[in-house]
Amino acid sequence: RKLSIRGMASAVAGASEYRAVDVHTHCYLPRYMQLLRDRREVPRVVDVEGQSRLIILPGEDEDVSTSSGRPIGREYYDMSSKLSFMDRHGIEVSVLSLANPWIDFLSAEEAVPMAKELNDEMQSICEDSGGRLYGFGVLPVQDPEASAAELERLAGMSKMRGVILGTAGCGQGLDDPALDPVWRACEAHGQMVFVHPHYGVGREHYHGTGHALFLALGFPFETTVAVSRLILSGAMDRFPDLRLLLAHSGGTLPFLAGRLDSCVKHDQEMADKLKHPPSHYLKRMYYDSIQYQTPSLACVQQLVGQERLMFGTDHPFFPPPGGKDLETHVWPSTEENLHILGRHFGDAEEAAVLRENAYRILNITPP
């Protein structure tokens, strides 16, 4: 059934001072929710004492501190809830992406038609949003050639602005040569690739800490490792026009860029493999602004400049603590990321990161 939200798109004027564009905001499309509810193993959605719970992380069901997952409500799948959140926080436009783990867990035979179905659903939802919503598509990464074909199809869809891709690629990381058809198609069709973690690095260290360390450390470390391996594989030399948007401000890469350059330069095996130092390729990439504190954001800006930074929220994750009504309360995690822009940047720089960069980089028309 087509989900119509045309009548739900409310005006932003007066809602807030920001008029932001959110490039890191997730949803579980209605068809995807059905897929998760039908499953009997991770990832899945289960009902516990009348409440829907989301269990998606590797090993989450085996650790007593995370085995029941996390609550999942309409903020994950109802577009009227998404638009309400946007209005409360002064977000004019959102570029939606399916949340992890995407369709990585399906077989190639299942993933190819599912990707088309989900991308068509995303396009339809965005078309009905009154200009408020755009989308990143999803790929059947298990079949790189089919993914390349889907990238060509996405390029012809009016509301799609690229794809979201997990750091595992098609199972062996972003440096896997099997991904070359995907990178080639991304270049050919000018598609942005939103690189996002899911599996975590160092999982053996996080037991007994709930989701906290898995998300705080495992996710950014995963992005750091995957993108570093992509660079050191020479893929960025083979595909110089590849456009990558890194989630969570690129993990720890902005902070470690100098160390990465030095270690590569002083390694006999790697010193002559690349045309440029690793930081050169990092400066070609794009980054969201999800950092939660000013020094971290300053580190990203000093590496790439504010012209490659775009605002993000990571909604609907990190909701207000304490069981507050998610449909009426301000989300502190989002407000923190909005406020540090104002504290760190001047007016022109803040406007660029909040909206103007996204308009330019993702070819978005203000509603």
Side-chain angles (χ1 to χ4, degrees), residues 12 15-22 81-92 132 311 313 315 320 326-336 338 354:
V12 176
S16 171
E17 61 190 282
Y18 296 118
R19 290 178 45 233
V21 177
D22 185 355
S81 180
K82 177 72 73 175
L83 289 165
S84 173
F85 167 84
M86 291 165 60
D87 286 344
R88 290 199 308 281
H89 298 87
I91 297 169
E92 190 171 34
R132 301 287 303 280
F311 175 71
T313 65
H315 182 264
L326 304 186
E327 298 298 320
T328 59
H329 278 79
V330 168
W331 289 40
S333 59
T334 295
E335 289 295 295
E336 288 168 11
L338 283 165
L354 275 176

Side-chain angles (χ1 to χ4, degrees), residues 29 103 108 110-123 135-158 160-165 181-186 188-193:
L29 296 166
I103 51 176
E110 295 170 314
V112 172
M114 181 59 69
K116 293 179 180 179
E117 191 173 346
L118 292 171
N119 290 335
D120 287 344
E121 186 174 34
M122 180 74 83
Q123 167 74 9
F136 288 124
V138 65
L139 296 178
V141 290
Q142 302 85 337
D143 186 334
E145 293 294 343
S147 294
E150 185 65 5
L151 279 159
E152 181 176 5
R153 194 177 78 94
L154 286 166
M157 299 171 73
S158 62
M160 305 304 276
R161 290 298 181 267
V163 294
I164 186 167
L165 180 66
V182 176
W183 303 140
R184 191 173 297 111
C186 288
H189 302 292
Q191 295 289 285
M192 180 69 77
V193 181

